[in-house]
């Protein structure tokens, strides 16, 4: 996972290097968790919520 | 009568200045408008249930000619030229805006302890937070200043202050209420809605803002989750919820719910990424952000695009899974927050033997519902032994607001 971020990302987002490292350590468990959850996702799963508005209000 | 009522609200706001609930009071405008509405009344023109009702507006809604800070230094002197759709609709319905309420910076947090404008305080105990991010709106309603205040909810920001302050808070079905002119945070998670003294007030505001729902076709059935929602809950909160549910007279059954812990992770990742996108244009003004918000924006900037899309695909799957719950029940009952209001400055809170981060704990029951977009309401259901309010959350299927109102009124009437 550590390969995801480098100095260019820090530059791009204007985040000081040491701050970037802390942010990276904080966000990495969440990214890993979502990757784990996504293992069960169907291959053709579509994004976003899409409610059909009810015609009768129900 | 209307002028007197608005004047009393303004006086109450001044008398409760120690709560720091208001960023701006619009006394002159409000009194002029009250006079105009009173003239309309005398001519026999009553616009509806909100005619002449004093209302407060969270400071992330644009208000024409009135400063709108978004709780941020970035907008410290911003005076918009037009109002948000929700504000326009409330005013068309006869509401009188008396001021703008304090909030967590950028609506990105749950304490409303704002580093630029000070901490908003809970009327039930001023050493405690009102919740957030719509903390000033919750405090203004709970202090009796206004019966209705406008809020926004991206990860619980209406329902959490409703729970901690002991008022009603509604997050309608995603997209049902127009959020134009409400400054964005989570682009696909943001909802607008009312905080209110009663369920009837919340319903009036909801309808004034364009909410239309049919009445439920049968008696409302409540579902008590068998998993997740009653784990890690303060025992006094648990007791108050179960007591209110048992007393409300509606049909009950136990139901299993999907993996809400996983859904919360998905919702957090989406918010991280969307908020970072919204505020990327201000990335050269790091010192203008409070420390807690800056940390979240930094983390959001590090979410890869593929992970954001994956999270968006997961939320759809979760929404479908959650729909299954509502084949057997009309409303799911949960605590809104696992505890009552924490103290200002507390970053962790003890629940049983476990010390938990205040933000993670306070959003635990509410955040995921933003990701699936289902409607939810928080209604007071009693107090703990320290006199602090306990909030009960009801969740319904999309466009199930009528069932929410019916169930919330039943809870409200039995919880006193």
């Amino acid at each position: 996972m550590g390969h995801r971020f480098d100095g260019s990302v820090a530059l791009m987002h204007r985040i000081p290097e040491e701050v970037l490292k802390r942010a990276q350590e904080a966000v990495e468990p969440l990214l890993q968790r979502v990757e784990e959850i996504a293992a069960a996702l169907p291959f053709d799963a579509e994004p976003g919520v899409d409610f059909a508005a009810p015609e009768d209000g129900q | 009568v209307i002028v007197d009522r608005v004047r009393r609200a303004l006086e109450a706001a001044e008398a409760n200045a120690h709560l720091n609930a208001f960023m701006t009071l619009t006394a002159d405008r409000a009194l002029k408008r009250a006079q105009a509405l009173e003239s309309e009344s005398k001519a026999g023109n009553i616009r509806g249930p909100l005619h002449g009702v004093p209302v407060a507006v969270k400071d992330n809604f644009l208000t024409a000619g009135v400063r709108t800070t978004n709780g941020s230094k970035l907008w410290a002197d911003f005076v918009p030229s037009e109002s948000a759709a929700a504000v326009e609709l409330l005013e068309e319905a006869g509401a009188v805006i008396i001021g703008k309420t304090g909030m967590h910076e950028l609506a990105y947090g749950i304490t409303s302890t704002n580093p630029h404008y000070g901490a908003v305080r809970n009327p039930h105990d001023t050493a405690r937070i009102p919740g957030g991010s719509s903390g000033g709106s919750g405090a203004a309603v709970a202090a009796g200043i206004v019966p209705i205040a406008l809020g926004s909810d991206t990860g619980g920001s209406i329902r959490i202050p409703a729970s901690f302050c002991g008022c009603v808070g509604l997050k309608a079905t995603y997209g049902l209420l127009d959020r134009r002119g409400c400054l964005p945070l989570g682009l696909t998670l943001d909802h607008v809605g009312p905080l209110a003294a009663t369920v009837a007030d919340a319903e009036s505001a909801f309808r004034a803002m364009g909410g239309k729902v049919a009445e439920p076709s049968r008696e409302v059935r409540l579902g008590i989750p068998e998993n997740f929602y009653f784990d890690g809950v303060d025992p006094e909160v648990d007791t108050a919820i179960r007591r209110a549910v048992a007393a409300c007279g509606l049909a009950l059954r136990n139901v299993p719910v999907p993996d809400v812990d996983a859904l919360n992770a998905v919702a957090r990742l989406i918010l991280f990424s969307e908020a970072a996108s919204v505020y990327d244009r201000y990335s050269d003004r790091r010192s203008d952000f409070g420390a807690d918000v800056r940390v979240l924006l930094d983390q959001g900037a590090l979410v890869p695009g593929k992970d954001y899309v994956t999270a968006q695909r997961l939320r759809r799957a979760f929404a479908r899974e959650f729909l299954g719950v509502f084949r057997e029940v009309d409303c799911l009952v949960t605590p809104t927050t696992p505890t009552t209001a924490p103290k200002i400055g507390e970053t962790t809170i003890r629940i049983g033997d476990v010390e938990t981060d205040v933000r993670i704990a306070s959003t635990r029951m509410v955040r995921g519902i933003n990701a699936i977009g289902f409607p939810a309401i928080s209604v007071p259901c009693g107090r703990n032994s320290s006199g602090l309010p306990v909030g009960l959350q009801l969740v319904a299927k999309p466009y199930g607001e009528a069932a929410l109102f019916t169930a919330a009124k039943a809870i409200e009437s039995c919880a006193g």
Side-chain angles (χ1 to χ4, degrees):
Chain A
M1 293 291 184
H3 65 280
R4 278 185 172 140
F5 314 116
D6 59 24
S8 63
V9 175
L11 187 64
M12 186 190 309
H13 298 291
R14 302 176 195 184
I15 301 173
E17 197 73 33
E18 67 280 12
V19 177
L20 173 75
K21 191 164 180 290
R22 283 200 299 274
Q24 187 177 333
E25 286 167 2
V27 79
E28 192 64 28
L30 179 64
L31 298 178
Q32 283 183 19
R33 174 82 173 110
V34 172
E35 274 191 10
E36 288 161 15
I37 300 163
L41 198 62
F43 184 73
D44 59 352
E46 294 181 4
V49 291
D50 179 22
F51 305 131
E55 289 178 13
D56 63 354
Q58 275 291 28
Chain B
V1 177
I2 294 174
V3 172
D4 287 346
R5 187 176 187 188
V6 169
R7 189 172 283 126
R8 280 199 303 275
L10 289 163
E11 286 168 359
E14 295 282 4
N16 285 286
H18 62 285
L19 298 177
N20 198 26
F22 283 87
M23 292 289 296
T24 307
L25 281 175
T26 52
D28 291 345
R29 280 169 170 260
L31 288 168
K32 270 187 200 159
R33 182 161 161 74
Q35 283 160 358
L37 287 163
E38 196 150 302
S39 298
E40 284 187 24
S41 299
K42 285 175 182 163
N45 177 19
I46 306 290
R47 299 190 189 199
L50 296 190
H51 190 96
V53 173
V55 167
V57 174
K58 185 178 181 180
D59 212 19
N60 61 346
F61 286 85
L62 302 186
T63 40
V66 178
R67 185 176 74 139
T68 299
T69 69
N70 202 15
S72 165
K73 269 177 91 171
L74 300 174
W75 284 278
D77 303 310
F78 174 52
V79 179
S81 57
E82 56 184 45
S83 291
V87 173
E88 286 178 351
L89 289 167
L90 287 172
E91 288 192 314
E92 279 170 25
V96 180
I97 310 294
I98 69 154
K100 305 293 293 291
T101 55
M103 54 184 283
H104 203 102
E105 181 181 10
L106 307 181
Y108 207 177
I110 62 93
T111 65
S112 301
T113 302
N114 190 301
H116 316 297
Y117 303 105
V120 182
R121 295 176 182 276
N122 191 314
H124 297 277
D125 178 349
T126 55
R128 295 179 185 273
I129 63 169
S133 62
S134 313
S137 291
V141 171
I145 299 167
V146 286
I148 296 167
L150 197 48
S152 64
D153 190 320
T154 303
S157 282
I158 288 173
R159 291 160 287 157
I160 294 164
S163 176
F164 288 166
C165 290
C167 58
V168 176
L170 171 71
K171 180 201 85 64
T173 304
Y174 180 72
L176 183 56
L177 302 183
D178 190 345
R179 57 184 196 178
R180 176 178 55 82
C182 178
L183 294 169
L185 176 66
L187 296 160
T188 68
L189 298 167
D190 293 340
H191 299 64
V192 303
L195 292 96
T198 66
V199 178
D201 286 338
E203 186 172 359
S204 293
F206 166 75
R207 292 185 187 278
M209 287 190 278
K212 286 180 189 150
V213 287
E215 293 307 312
S217 55
R218 57 169 181 270
E219 188 185 340
V220 171
R221 304 160 301 171
L222 300 183
I224 312 295
E226 290 173 351
N227 52 305
F228 184 81
Y229 283 108
F230 287 90
D231 301 337
V233 173
D234 179 284
E236 287 195 88
V237 171
D238 186 295
T239 300
I241 303 281
R242 293 185 190 279
R243 189 178 293 151
V245 167
C248 76
L250 298 176
L252 303 175
R253 67 179 298 170
N254 293 331
V255 288
V257 295
D259 185 348
V260 181
D261 189 57
L263 174 61
N264 283 342
V266 167
R268 280 182 68 211
L269 192 147
I270 292 171
L271 177 55
F272 269 7
S273 197
E274 292 183 349
S277 169
V278 168
Y279 287 100
D280 189 48
R281 67 182 58 189
Y282 299 110
S283 59
D284 59 343
R285 295 179 61 177
R286 292 181 62 81
S287 62
D288 286 344
F289 293 92
D292 63 327
V293 167
R294 196 171 57 222
V295 162
L296 295 175
L297 293 173
D298 286 349
Q299 291 177 33
L302 298 174
V303 175
K306 73 174 181 62
D307 290 354
Y308 173 75
V309 175
T310 297
Q312 287 286 359
R313 296 168 76 201
L314 281 165
R315 79 189 290 188
R316 192 183 187 103
F318 274 112
R320 193 169 298 138
E321 221 181 314
F322 253 91
L323 265 182
V325 174
F326 294 96
R327 287 196 201 101
E328 297 181 7
V329 300
D330 301 295
C331 294
L332 208 55
V333 179
T334 82
T336 307
T337 49
T339 67
T340 53
K343 287 185 176 160
I344 292 171
E346 275 182 339
T347 54
T348 61
I349 193 163
R350 179 167 288 278
I351 306 173
D353 295 333
V354 181
E355 195 82 10
T356 313
D357 177 272
V358 164
R359 183 168 55 87
I360 298 292
S362 301
T363 54
R364 188 164 174 264
M365 313 296 188
V366 289
R367 182 187 292 285
I369 308 303
N370 290 70
I372 58 174
F374 290 18
I377 193 168
S378 180
V379 60
C381 70
R383 296 184 182 217
N384 72 0
S385 53
S386 304
L388 296 171
V390 175
L392 179 153
Q393 177 178 238
L394 295 158
V395 183
K397 67 182 179 182
Y399 307 103
E401 279 83 356
L404 284 187
F405 291 134
T406 301
K409 285 172 185 169
I411 298 288
E412 184 179 55
S413 64
C414 73

